Amino acid sequence: MHQTNSTMEKIKQITVLLLPILITQLGMFSMVFFNTIMSGKYNSADLAGVAIGTSIWNPIFTGLSGILIAVSPLAAQKFGEKKKDDVASIVKNGVYLAIIIAFIVLAAGSLFLNELLLFMNLEHHVHKTAYQYLIGLSFGILPLFLFNVLRSFIYALGKTRVIMVVLLLALPINLVLNYVFIFGAFGFPELGGAGGGYATAITYWFILAMTLLIIIKQEPFSQFRILKNMRGFDPKGCAEILKIGVPMGLSTFFETSMFAAVTILISKFSITTIASYQTALNIVSFLYMIPISVSMALTVLVGFEVGAKRYKDARVYSWLGIGMAMLVALFTGLLVVLFREQVAGFYSNEPAVIALTGSFLIYALFFQVSDALQVTALAALRGYKDVNIAFVITLIAYWGICLPLGYYLSHFTEMGATGYWIGLTVGLLAAGIALMGRLLLIQKRFKI
């Protein structure tokens, strides 16, 4: 990263950071995409099981990863201040936190996972698939959390292409392993949808190994001597990450858990409705990778400029990123609405699932724009290390608007499951508007 002097230079720098992050995010999402597609082709019950398993895992992963991703804005600000030793210390503490968090998740899962699935009162095959999928995925929790810390460090230096290359190398491995474990190819046992969990876990270990090798051997990462500075647990350093990371993680958790809650509520409907909802959510989540990638680049750039005390540049980056994300969301949303049935056909061979998925996707345009607004405004605030009020805003929007409104529309009107999509869209829009107001207020506090 470097200082920019014009709007065009800023757009170019956002794009240079954004494109590799986007490819990386698409690569990470593709692992879930492969699981969903292949499970759907296996049968609808396995697709529903993977959907339930994913809905349980996503809030946990994204919420806890949100804590670890705090390494990125913290390290970016120290990098902007040219404090190399502080950058290394932040990453070291992030690694310790990743290990601690991973073992807490594994312990909690061993105690409560089966009871949670029993509480959901799922059909037997769906229950079994969801349980076995999450057991397989659990073998990849530690490498995934460690990778997220190291990825945040690499992003903080503006070297986003490195992680893109790692993910591109990992995708063929994940695709082959999904086929092998789901369908029982080459003499391996046929695990159905649950096989996707084991395939993904093995892939996470490969990704971590590649990232570690790069950090040890490649400049400029090797200059920070991350692994050689791992001695000594620093409670104060970890507390600094938690101070920023916990509100970030909670904001992310409340969003993803809200989606998970909708999935659980929809599990009371038919298997066709569950599969259709999961398919539609998978499609809009795939497109969501664009605004989330903009947001990740935005956090790094705003943090870098704030650390260098170039507050005017930080403000310009904030609004450029928000504008870019909304324009792209508008375009992709229109495409999904126009070709909704063709897109749904990639996920299922069953006409009923395709038709219901297409009806859900009609709302994708409004959903995409609202989601792009709130995620990029939130990212800009993180660049300023302003996270506490944003956490409150997202909590109210997600659980005070999205879920209650969706539940009311689905159960007390004739809309059925469609009502949840309207509730989600309204809540995300409310979050975006409130977060933009907060961003304007924070920017006024910094001298230009």
Side-chain angles (χ1 to χ4, degrees):
M1 292 183 294
H2 59 273
Q3 183 177 1
T4 54
N5 299 307
S6 68
T7 300
M8 287 307 299
E9 287 181 1
K10 286 178 171 59
I11 292 173
K12 181 179 179 181
Q13 180 141 276
I14 291 175
T15 305
V16 167
L17 288 182
L18 162 66
L19 290 178
I21 292 176
L22 174 59
I23 295 171
T24 300
Q25 289 300 115
L26 290 174
M28 294 291 288
F29 180 82
S30 293
M31 296 183 195
V32 179
F33 178 78
F34 293 153
N35 291 344
T36 306
I37 287 286
M38 291 188 181
S39 298
K41 297 298 182 182
Y42 192 77
N43 65 53
S44 292
D46 276 65
L47 174 59
V50 171
I52 296 296
T54 301
S55 72
I56 293 171
W57 169 239
N58 274 349
I60 298 168
F61 162 63
T62 54
L64 295 175
S65 290
I67 297 174
L68 301 173
I69 289 172
V71 167
S72 189
L74 289 170
Q77 286 203 9
K78 296 299 182 184
F79 186 56
E81 295 169 6
K82 305 187 186 302
K83 295 180 179 178
K84 184 185 294 187
D85 290 341
D86 288 351
V87 172
S89 177
I90 289 168
V91 178
K92 177 193 76 172
N93 294 320
V95 168
Y96 278 119
L97 281 175
I99 294 170
I100 293 168
I101 289 170
F103 280 104
I104 290 173
V105 172
L106 289 170
S110 67
L111 293 173
F112 303 116
L113 174 58
N114 196 50
E115 285 72 14
L116 175 60
L117 291 171
L118 287 171
F119 174 76
M120 293 171 66
N121 195 28
L122 301 167
E123 188 270 330
H124 174 71
H125 188 81
V126 175
H127 176 125
K128 181 180 177 182
T129 300
Y131 181 80
Q132 292 180 345
Y133 173 78
L134 289 170
I135 291 296
L137 199 60
S138 69
F139 290 99
I141 287 175
L142 178 60
L144 178 59
F145 285 167
L146 289 171
F147 166 71
N148 272 307
V149 172
L150 300 179
R151 176 174 67 155
S152 297
F153 160 60
I154 291 172
Y155 282 177
L157 304 188
K159 305 296 183 180
T160 55
R161 242 179 271 182
V162 173
I163 299 298
M164 176 190 73
V165 173
V166 172
L167 262 293
L168 289 177
L169 290 173
L171 276 181
I173 295 173
N174 182 250
L175 179 60
V176 171
L177 289 174
N178 266 283
Y179 178 75
V180 166
F181 288 124
I182 291 175
F183 294 98
F186 309 117
F188 283 85
E190 184 179 334
L191 301 177
Y198 292 94
T200 302
I202 295 170
T203 307
Y204 287 153
W205 280 105
F206 171 80
I207 290 170
L208 175 63
M210 289 292 296
T211 307
L212 282 170
L213 185 64
I214 289 166
I215 285 175
I216 294 169
K217 298 291 185 181
Q218 187 172 319
E219 297 286 347
F221 315 113
S222 59
Q223 296 177 10
F224 292 83
R225 301 167 62 87
I226 299 296
L227 297 184
K228 293 183 180 179
N229 289 300
M230 287 303 300
R231 292 181 181 178
F233 179 76
D234 180 9
K236 289 185 178 180
C238 290
E240 182 185 8
I241 295 175
L242 291 173
K243 182 179 179 181
I244 302 297
V246 169
M248 287 175 58
L250 287 174
S251 294
T252 307
F253 172 78
F254 284 126
E255 180 178 10
T256 52
S257 62
M258 176 260 300
F259 281 102
V262 172
T263 301
I264 291 169
L265 290 168
I266 284 182
S267 69
K268 305 301 181 183
F269 291 78
S270 66
I271 286 180
T272 297
T273 302
I274 298 172
S276 299
Y277 170 77
Q278 179 60 25
T279 299
L281 184 61
N282 199 259
I283 292 167
V284 296
S285 297
F286 183 80
L287 297 174
Y288 177 66
M289 292 302 101
I290 302 174
I292 196 65
S293 299
V294 175
S295 75
M296 294 174 76
L298 201 54
T299 296
V300 171
L301 287 167
V302 172
F304 177 71
E305 298 296 346
V306 170
K309 294 182 169 46
R310 295 190 290 265
Y311 302 127
K312 182 177 180 180
D313 290 326
R315 185 182 65 177
V316 174
Y317 272 124
S318 300
W319 297 109
L320 278 176
I322 291 171
M324 288 173 64
M326 291 186 67
L327 283 173
V328 172
L330 180 62
F331 176 72
T332 56
L334 284 169
L335 286 179
V336 167
V337 171
L338 290 173
F339 300 101
R340 56 189 180 275
E341 292 188 0
Q342 291 88 337
V343 173
F346 284 110
Y347 285 78
S348 178
N349 297 323
E350 300 176 23
V353 173
I354 293 172
L356 187 54
T357 300
S359 69
F360 287 156
L361 288 175
I362 293 173
Y363 301 92
L365 171 61
F366 308 102
F367 180 88
Q368 285 289 106
V369 173
S370 299
D371 213 5
L373 172 61
Q374 66 94 23
V375 75
T376 46
L378 185 60
L381 286 167
R382 288 172 177 174
Y384 287 97
K385 295 201 295 188
D386 183 76
V387 293
N388 293 317
I389 298 300
F391 154 66
V392 175
I393 290 171
T394 53
L395 172 60
I396 293 171
Y398 302 152
W399 285 87
I401 300 176
C402 288
L403 200 57
L405 179 60
Y407 186 86
Y408 172 78
L409 293 175
S410 294
H411 295 273
F412 296 97
T413 71
E414 300 297 321
M415 291 183 178
T418 302
Y420 282 112
W421 286 100
I422 297 174
L424 292 171
T425 301
V426 172
L428 291 173
L429 179 60
I433 293 170
L435 290 168
M436 278 204 307
R438 178 64 182 174
L439 181 58
L440 286 168
L441 180 63
I442 290 299
Q443 289 172 343
K444 287 180 180 179
R445 293 179 183 177
F446 285 82
K447 294 181 181 178
I448 299 174

